[in-house]
Amino acid sequence: MSKSVKPPHAAQLLGAALGELRASFPAEDWDGLRPSHFRILEVVERGGMRAVDLAAELGMTKQGAGQHVAYLTDRGFVRQQPDPDDRRARRVELTDRGAEFLGRLHRRLAAIESGWTRRVGREDYATFRRVLASIAAS
């Protein structure tokens, strides 16, 4: 009796795609930063914000966000400035180094998406992005 092979489920397919994405970001090429740092930099890029607000936006604890911000500050990707609206708080802002890094990150991501578009076709990739956006929004 032969077993039928089940097609991979969505989690496996997404995992494979994410694995390919992760493999294209070896740590030695990215100043030791990890994807969790990338997320923080991309949120800060939209404008300076308090670490507590950053944590809330990313669904992290204040302590976790604080550790990431400290790491990024020590390496010169962000700076912390007094918040003009609350003297007890500090705002996290992108530095020139952080902005340059994000430019490099966005170019790499665009190249990856361009490659995926070539592999599956423009229309299928556009559908894939619309579906992902819809899932992420809900």
Side-chain angles (χ1 to χ4, degrees):
M1 185 183 301
S2 67
K3 285 186 175 181
S4 64
V5 177
K6 291 182 181 180
H9 53 71
Q12 289 170 312
L13 296 172
L14 285 171
L18 288 174
E20 183 179 331
L21 189 62
R22 276 189 212 97
S24 68
F25 286 96
E28 62 273 7
D29 290 349
W30 297 95
D31 301 317
L33 299 187
R34 299 184 313 271
S36 56
H37 297 122
F38 300 173
R39 290 178 49 220
I40 288 175
L41 291 171
E42 287 186 310
V43 170
V44 172
E45 180 183 33
R46 291 182 257 157
M49 62 189 345
R50 295 181 310 149
V52 66
D53 297 327
L54 179 66
E57 182 157 338
L58 293 170
M60 300 175 76
T61 65
K62 289 188 295 185
Q63 294 81 7
Q67 288 174 351
H68 284 308
V69 167
Y71 184 89
L72 292 167
T73 301
D74 290 347
R75 283 150 186 82
F77 293 98
V78 299
R79 67 178 155 264
Q80 296 184 66
Q81 305 279 52
D83 186 332
D85 298 327
D86 181 352
R87 296 179 69 98
R88 298 167 297 160
R90 299 184 60 73
R91 292 182 63 77
V92 180
E93 299 173 347
L94 209 56
T95 63
D96 290 342
R97 181 175 190 209
E100 182 279 325
F101 176 87
L102 280 174
R104 193 162 46 107
L105 172 66
H106 293 154
R107 287 188 296 277
R108 173 70 62 94
L109 290 169
I112 291 166
E113 289 200 58
S114 181
W116 286 350
T117 300
R118 282 191 303 279
R119 283 178 18 204
V120 302
R122 188 175 307 278
E123 189 175 319
D124 282 351
Y125 193 71
T127 300
F128 171 71
R129 285 199 46 96
R130 273 194 309 278
V131 170
L132 280 180
S134 178
I135 290 169
S138 58

